[in-house]
Amino acid sequence: MKLINFLFCLITLFTLQWSTAFATEIKFPKDVNIKKNEKYKIQATIGILSYDKDGGLGYSNDVPINNCGYDDKNKTVLCNLTHDNRKFNFTFNVKVENKNKCKITNSTTFKKANLYSYDSEDKKYILDEYLVFLELEKDKITTFECNTRKFTLLTNDNCEFTLKIQQAKARVSRNKQRK
């Protein structure tokens, strides 16, 4: 009986460690850059280029991104959105500043997130909800620019840390139509 209890405890312990080892992505709050009763959604500006018999046509949409999260294990921010039957995936490799200040655990959540772009004229970071700009032509990304240069995140433990973007990647795919 003692052996069975010991094995049960051992299996429970390994299962708990196994499940927490993969719970590394922490979702961003839906609203960002909150100040003075103003709040914003993270946005992607998507430009669409198409052609007709008279030449090139284009338009752009600002589309809210509702699904972003920080993967502490891989030091990446992952975002995705679906728009006009296309799925967009954005991956940002980040450098964590003041990383020893905050401890990330399984119970960590983000209460607040701010996105900053860099104003080269004024030589300072400014709040900016526009994460990326991309242009599409026939479901291919022809232009991709990352507007955001850093994120500041406030945890549920009131600890703030900064993620500086080192590299950004984008991928687009067409959602398959159901028959």
Side-chain angles (χ1 to χ4, degrees):
M1 188 67 170
K2 287 182 181 183
L3 180 63
I4 292 174
N5 283 340
F6 174 74
L7 288 174
F8 177 76
C9 289
L10 197 60
I11 290 170
T12 304
L13 178 66
F14 283 123
T15 303
L16 212 113
Q17 285 181 335
W18 180 266
S19 66
T20 59
F22 295 103
T24 60
E25 189 175 327
I26 306 166
K27 297 293 182 193
F28 282 21
K30 294 207 180 293
D31 297 317
V32 297
N33 299 353
I34 299 172
K35 61 179 185 176
K36 295 182 183 175
N37 296 327
E38 293 179 12
K39 53 189 176 181
Y40 301 92
K41 304 284 185 207
I42 299 173
Q43 303 279 324
T45 301
I46 302 171
I48 308 292
L49 299 175
S50 61
Y51 297 93
D52 65 6
K53 62 182 179 177
D54 297 326
L57 302 170
Y59 66 92
S60 66
N61 286 328
D62 292 333
V63 182
I65 300 174
N66 293 321
N67 190 12
C68 282
Y70 171 59
D71 181 345
D72 186 51
K73 181 179 178 186
N74 296 311
K75 304 298 183 245
T76 56
V77 171
L78 307 166
C79 299
N80 58 58
L81 71 93
T82 302
H83 177 68
D84 281 349
N85 207 29
R86 294 176 181 97
K87 184 173 181 169
F88 299 89
N89 295 300
F90 306 107
T91 303
F92 306 93
N93 296 331
V94 296
K95 178 182 176 189
V96 182
E97 293 189 343
N98 50 357
K99 61 184 166 189
N100 295 330
K101 181 179 171 187
C102 299
K103 182 176 170 98
I104 304 294
T105 66
N106 285 359
S107 61
T108 299
T109 58
F110 295 135
K111 295 188 331 183
K112 185 177 176 184
N114 287 329
L115 284 66
Y116 294 89
S117 62
Y118 188 74
D119 184 338
S120 56
E121 190 173 299
D122 290 337
K123 298 187 184 337
K124 66 178 184 177
Y125 288 99
I126 57 171
L127 284 173
D128 189 355
E129 70 271 16
Y130 292 96
L131 181 62
V132 294
F133 169 80
L134 55 114
E135 286 181 334
L136 296 176
E137 188 174 345
K138 295 183 182 177
D139 294 331
K140 301 280 187 223
I141 297 172
T142 57
T143 303
F144 174 67
E145 296 173 8
C146 179
N147 300 333
T148 298
R149 294 290 173 239
K150 72 177 182 176
F151 305 92
T152 59
L153 303 167
L154 182 66
T155 69
N156 54 322
D157 296 328
N158 290 322
C159 187
E160 184 175 275
F161 66 102
T162 302
L163 304 174
K164 280 202 169 177
I165 296 176
Q166 303 295 302
Q167 182 183 29
K169 298 179 222 167
R171 197 179 81 214
V172 63
S173 59
R174 252 265 175 227
N175 285 338
K176 298 205 183 333
Q177 295 287 341
R178 291 185 177 173
K179 293 182 178 182

